[in-house]
Amino acid sequence: MLVLKNIDVFYGKVHAVKKVSLHVDQGEIVALIGGNGAGKTTLLSTISGLIRAGRGQIVFEGREINRQKPDKIVKSGISQVPERRLVFKPLSVEDNLLLGSYHRYSLGRSASIGRDVEEIFAMFPVLGERRNQPAGTLSGGEQQMLSIGRALMAKPRLLLLDEPGMGLAPAISQMIFRHVSKLRDELGATVLLVEQNARSALKISDRGYVLETGRVIVQGTSKELMQNNDVQRAYLGRDAGESGR
Ligand code: ATP
C-alpha cells in the first residue's frame, strides 16, 4: 500500500532522516519505534506532505505522492493523527469530528457524514456523551480518541498515528492501543504507528522498524523485534539475558 524508498529529509544542515526505506501492506499495523529525536515524526510528516523529502520516493497505492500537497494527500486516502493530539479546543466534540471530513464536501462524498459521526460515537461512547462539550474540556485520553476519530472521518485507507500513548496514564494509554488494534481487526484499517513506547507498539503491531538517529537499524515482525537482544536492551528495558523469560 505504501512504499518509501531511500528517503532523506533535511532541516537546513540537520540530516534528520537518512536513506529510510520501508513499506506498509494493506491491513497491517506497522510500528516505527525509536527514542527522542530519532526522526519518527519527521518521517510521518514527510509521508503526509507537511515536510518535503530531500531525496527518495514515496509511493501510495501505486502513485508517487512525494511532490503532492498535504490536502491532496488526505484526499488520496492518508490521514495523520498528530503528536500531542491537537484538537480544536473551543469547538465542540462533534464539530471537531466534522472538520475531519471537510474535504469530502469537495469530493462530493458528503452524504454519509452524519452516519459516520454516529459510528465514531459508537466506537468511542464517551465522545457521544460529550458531543456538545468544547473539546478543550475533555481529558487527555478523550482528546486522543477525538483526534483519532477526526482522522477517521476523512475515511482514510492509511492512518498515520503519532505517539497516541504520549502523556497519558498507563491504563488510558493501554486502552488507546486496544482501540488501535480494534481498528485493524474490526474495520480492516491499515496503520503506521510511531511510538516511543516500544513494548505497547510491538504488542499490537504486525511488523516494525527501529529508527536510530534517522536510520532504520533493525526491522522485522513485531515478534522478532521483541525477541531481539538489542531491541530488548535499548527499548524494552530488559537485560539481554532475560530474553524469553
Ligand atoms: P520524539 O519522539 O522526541 O518526538 P522523533 O523521533 O519524532 O522524536 P523528530 O521530531 O522527527 O524525532 O526529530 C528528528 C531530528 O530532527 C531531531 O534531531 C530534531 O532535533 C530535528 N528537528 C525536528 N524538527 C526540526 C525543525 N523544525 N528544525 C530543525 N531540526 C528539527
Side-chain angles (χ1 to χ4, degrees):
M1 182 179 247
L2 178 77
V3 182
L4 269 61
K5 285 185 202 155
N6 294 323
I7 292 294
D8 279 296
V9 185
F10 299 86
Y11 296 106
K13 285 185 183 158
V14 177
H15 194 175
V17 170
K18 298 165 187 155
K19 277 202 167 299
V20 167
S21 295
L22 60 79
H23 70 276
V24 180
D25 294 333
Q26 189 159 6
E28 283 190 308
I29 297 179
V30 173
L32 196 57
I33 60 177
N36 284 121
K40 306 181 298 298
T41 297
T42 301
L43 202 55
L44 276 201
S45 298
T46 307
I47 296 167
S48 58
L50 297 168
I51 298 172
R52 195 49 65 89
R55 279 191 292 261
Q57 205 186 17
I58 306 175
V59 179
F60 177 61
E61 294 182 330
R63 260 188 248 146
E64 203 172 315
I65 58 165
N66 40 321
R67 307 249 166 266
Q68 289 185 1
K69 298 218 168 92
D71 60 321
K72 193 100 190 283
I73 292 176
V74 173
K75 282 182 188 165
S76 71
I78 300 180
S79 278
Q80 182 170 359
V81 179
E83 200 175 355
R84 286 184 287 273
R85 308 182 272 278
L86 301 178
V87 296
F88 296 95
K89 291 188 171 169
L91 299 185
S92 71
V93 166
E94 187 163 357
D95 284 344
N96 267 273
L97 290 178
L98 290 173
L99 278 173
S101 61
Y102 84 97
H103 77 282
R104 288 165 61 189
Y105 289 93
S106 62
L107 289 173
R109 291 190 207 139
S110 58
S112 59
I113 285 176
R115 201 177 58 221
D116 294 341
V117 169
E118 296 309 321
E119 273 178 19
I120 301 292
F121 289 153
M123 196 182 309
F124 302 114
V126 70
L127 296 183
E129 289 160 19
R130 289 157 173 69
R131 64 194 301 159
N132 298 315
Q133 218 168 288
T137 63
L138 299 180
S139 71
E142 290 160 358
Q143 289 189 19
Q144 185 63 66
M145 292 176 209
L146 181 57
S147 187
I148 294 173
R150 187 182 57 199
L152 292 175
M153 285 297 293
K155 291 269 166 200
R157 290 189 295 289
L158 173 66
L159 193 63
L160 308 176
L161 262 179
D162 198 349
E163 306 226 19
M166 185 194 254
L168 301 178
I172 305 295
S173 159
Q174 289 317 311
M175 185 186 65
I176 296 289
F177 283 109
R178 278 198 299 278
H179 274 299
V180 176
S181 61
K182 265 191 176 174
L183 291 179
R184 174 198 51 199
D185 300 341
E186 293 175 16
L187 302 181
T190 308
V191 180
L192 179 57
L193 167 69
V194 153
E195 214 13 269
Q196 273 202 37
N197 183 341
R199 189 182 304 278
S200 298
L202 292 176
K203 253 191 210 163
I204 63 158
S205 57
D206 301 289
R207 291 189 300 111
Y209 295 83
V210 180
L211 211 57
E212 229 172 71
T213 55
R215 270 181 221 288
V216 172
I217 54 151
V218 198
Q219 58 178 292
T221 65
S222 300
K223 209 169 163 197
E224 285 164 355
L225 293 179
M226 289 233 232
Q227 287 164 354
N228 177 299
N229 283 346
D230 295 333
V231 174
Q232 289 190 351
R233 252 194 310 265
Y235 300 101
L236 299 174
R238 219 187 264 171
D239 287 338
E242 281 184 84
S243 161
R245 270 191 218 164

